[in-house]
Amino acid sequence: MYTIPVITYHAIGEAASPLFTPPARFEATLAHLAAAGYRTVSLERVLGWLRAGAGFPAKTVVLAFDDGYQSVYGEAWPRLAAYGFTATVFLVTGFCGRDNRWPGQPAHAPRLPLLSWAEANKLANAGWELGAHTCTHPPLPLVDAARVEQEVMKSQAAIQARTGQAAAVFAYPYGARNAAVEAIVARHCAGAVSTDMGLVTAAGRPYRLARIDAYYWRPETIAAVGSAGFRGYLRLRDTLRKLRRCVYTDWQWSGSPSRPASGPAA
Ligand SMILES: [Zn+2]
């Protein structure tokens, strides 16, 4: 039974921040995917296969970009286009055309420009999938249900109004979710991605799709993706990340300087 890796990126660039993937490493990942015969698909497509229950096709991958940084347009898009690849970008709709200084952003996080609506439209017209990532990027389990619903619905509506895409998929800010948040998202979206480390399998849950942060992805990883050893590696990384979040309880949400200097963003 085939599985699908969903690789999560943020920005592409050389800066020494876990938000960034260096262009050369990104390029090498694409080259390895292409050489191995992989094709990119949308998450909506993956959700369709998941619900049909007939398994996934071989050599399928999803590339996802959280937050909609402008380097997705300038650095990622041309490289993907050269291979005939497309990707999914999750937009924080209240901040499109601005930067990532949404409430709760740690002061030490780099200030980065975000895609404008014109750029998001160009990506959509090139076959990219646009997903909703709320309007203001709050940790959803910490806000009330009415606000959760507004964040989901308004971000979807903005994408629909500005680009014509339905924004069927959702990404939880910081990967933070609970049963109540999931239930609200399920009323409005076809599926949602988490920050749980893993591959999407036939047993995957549509509102908890596992992903692999680019921080843990090496260009040559694709050769090992179906192996038991790689699945064990992902389980280990997932456990370690969850343990670290227990230790650094507030680093994700409050902007506390206790956030580790390195490690993946969310
Ligand atoms: Zn985010």
Side-chain angles (χ1 to χ4, degrees), residues 208-234:
R208 294 183 189 180
L209 296 178
R211 299 195 289 179
I212 304 168
D213 195 287
Y215 186 80
Y216 298 110
W217 187 274
R218 300 289 174 273
E220 60 280 6
T221 297
I222 196 63
V225 83
S227 70
F230 185 65
R231 287 194 299 276
Y233 166 77
L234 290 177

Side-chain angles (χ1 to χ4, degrees), residues 65 72 76-77 80 85-89 123-124 126-130 165:
F65 294 87
V72 172
W77 182 28
L80 287 168
F85 290 159
T86 57
T88 302
V89 59
L123 295 175
W128 283 47
E129 178 177 43
L130 305 182
Q165 270 209 25

Side-chain angles (χ1 to χ4, degrees), residues 34-45:
Y38 272 75
R39 64 171 179 148
T40 54
V41 297
S42 68
L43 284 164
E44 198 172 4
R45 195 93 188 267

Side-chain angles (χ1 to χ4, degrees), residues 10 66-69 90 92 102 133 137 171-175 266:
H10 285 79
D66 279 12
D67 301 339
Y69 292 104
F90 288 101
V92 183
W102 41 71
H133 194 38
H137 208 274
Y172 306 100
Y174 313 100

Side-chain angles (χ1 to χ4, degrees), residues 129-221:
E129 178 177 43
L130 305 182
H133 194 38
T134 72
C135 305
T136 65
H137 208 274
L140 295 175
L142 300 189
V143 302
D144 65 52
R147 166 97 185 273
V148 172
E149 188 135 46
Q150 289 296 306
E151 290 279 351
V152 175
M153 289 177 69
K154 285 188 174 174
S155 57
Q156 267 189 320
I159 293 169
Q160 173 87 57
R162 296 288 202 140
T163 72
Q165 270 209 25
V169 290
F170 183 81
Y172 306 100
Y174 313 100
R177 57 174 164 75
N178 57 23
V181 166
E182 260 185 59
I184 292 169
V185 171
R187 285 208 289 274
H188 301 285
C189 304
V193 290
S194 69
T195 53
D196 294 348
M197 284 271 287
L199 297 159
V200 178
T201 70
R205 299 169 72 167
Y207 295 95
R208 294 183 189 180
L209 296 178
R211 299 195 289 179
I212 304 168
D213 195 287
Y215 186 80
Y216 298 110
W217 187 274
R218 300 289 174 273
E220 60 280 6
T221 297

